[in-house]
Amino acid sequence: MTGAAPDPRKTLDPDRVAQWLACHPDFFVGREGLLQQLKVPHPESRGATSLLERLVHDLRSRAEQAEWRLEQLLESARHNEGQYRRTRELVLALLEAEDNDALGQALATQMSEHFHTPAVAMWCPASLTDAEPMPPQAPRQILDDHAGQRLAALLDGRPSRCTRLTPTDWKRLLPHVPAPSKAGSCALSRLTLGEPLGYLVLASPDPDHFRASMDTLFTEYVGEVVARLLVSRAPSSP
């Protein structure tokens, strides 16, 4: 009498079966009926489901993930386009300024209206304003030793930085803007063009508006534009 056939699950190594199937991806060609009989773990429960149903589920999940990634890319593109347009309007407004006071006022207006930054200060040495007929108007300020030391300390040796701004520092560095009762935040950048020209301060009463982890590329770019325009618009000494 012939004995019962051994259970394949006890005689075949699953890893070797998987390896063999991986080397023979055409095994199910002509054996499509087997696909309908195969059972695989259900992705959302402890039960099993057919291979075809599992494939449909996986494809749907991949499609949803691809749709989410596409929406993220579109959102990023919309943000970048908006940032480009705002930056373009900012630079054009600065270029149209007739003098350094108008330059500072244009910067303050653009930063407030388009970048949610209500406070701006441009600290420049007296030598840059000596030839001007009138004292600088806010947000321009004449850089003195006390302000220079404090700004240098806040920058901590860096060309630009985002950091917290205490009410005391706010009153000293943005004297033309009422200080908040609690600490705010600011983005600082050195104004340089071959030699130091001063400092640019962009501030907000929101302590999280300028976070230490933020990139300062935009602030540095604005500082580079402002530095060049300050020099080009400064009247020549007699």
Side-chain angles (χ1 to χ4, degrees):
M1 183 176 178
T2 305
D7 187 344
R9 291 174 295 181
K10 297 181 179 179
T11 60
L12 295 177
D13 183 358
D15 292 335
R16 295 185 62 183
V17 173
Q19 182 180 8
W20 188 91
L21 288 173
C23 295
H24 299 82
D26 58 345
F27 173 76
F28 290 102
V29 176
R31 301 181 176 88
E32 287 77 7
L34 286 175
L35 295 175
Q36 300 179 10
Q37 300 178 36
L38 294 176
K39 298 293 183 180
V40 296
H42 195 283
E44 299 177 354
S45 67
R46 294 185 178 182
T49 185
S50 70
L51 178 62
L52 294 180
E53 290 178 352
R54 175 60 183 268
L55 289 175
V56 170
H57 179 277
D58 289 349
L59 288 174
R60 184 182 296 113
S61 177
R62 291 181 184 178
E64 291 174 352
Q65 292 177 7
E67 183 178 359
W68 179 83
R69 287 194 294 268
L70 178 60
E71 181 59 32
Q72 293 295 106
L73 289 173
L74 291 175
E75 182 63 27
S76 178
R78 287 190 288 266
H79 171 76
N80 290 338
E81 181 182 5
Q83 190 78 350
Y84 162 75
R85 292 183 181 277
R86 291 190 294 270
T87 303
R88 177 176 177 272
E89 291 180 11
L90 165 65
V91 173
L92 290 177
L94 297 181
L95 290 173
E96 292 172 355
E98 296 181 353
D99 54 39
N100 281 339
D101 280 339
L103 174 68
Q105 292 162 10
L107 176 61
T109 298
Q110 290 289 318
M111 293 303 301
S112 176
E113 293 182 356
H114 300 298
F115 296 94
H116 307 291
T117 302
V120 173
M122 295 160 48
W123 286 90
C124 301
S127 59
L128 193 62
T129 63
D130 284 343
E132 296 181 354
M134 299 291 291
Q137 300 298 307
R140 287 206 299 153
Q141 304 288 342
I142 296 180
L143 185 65
D144 55 26
D145 291 340
H146 182 66
Q149 291 173 3
R150 187 57 191 147
L151 286 163
L154 288 172
L155 278 172
D156 193 26
R158 285 168 274 192
S160 60
R161 183 189 181 194
C162 293
T163 185
R164 289 290 182 96
L165 193 65
T166 65
T168 300
D169 280 334
W170 186 296
K171 292 176 182 178
R172 181 65 188 90
L173 302 179
L174 297 128
H176 54 288
V177 181
S181 58
K182 298 181 180 180
S185 59
C186 69
L188 308 172
S189 182
R190 294 184 186 275
L191 299 177
T192 59
L193 187 60
E195 60 183 19
L197 297 176
Y199 300 87
L200 174 64
V201 183
L202 308 178
S204 170
D206 180 358
D208 294 321
H209 188 74
F210 294 106
R211 298 183 301 276
S213 59
M214 290 178 62
D215 186 6
T216 57
L217 182 62
F218 174 76
T219 308
E220 292 176 9
Y221 171 71
V222 174
E224 290 173 357
V225 173
V226 168
R228 283 160 173 77
L229 293 177
L230 281 172
V231 172
S232 66
R233 281 159 173 71
S236 302
S237 299

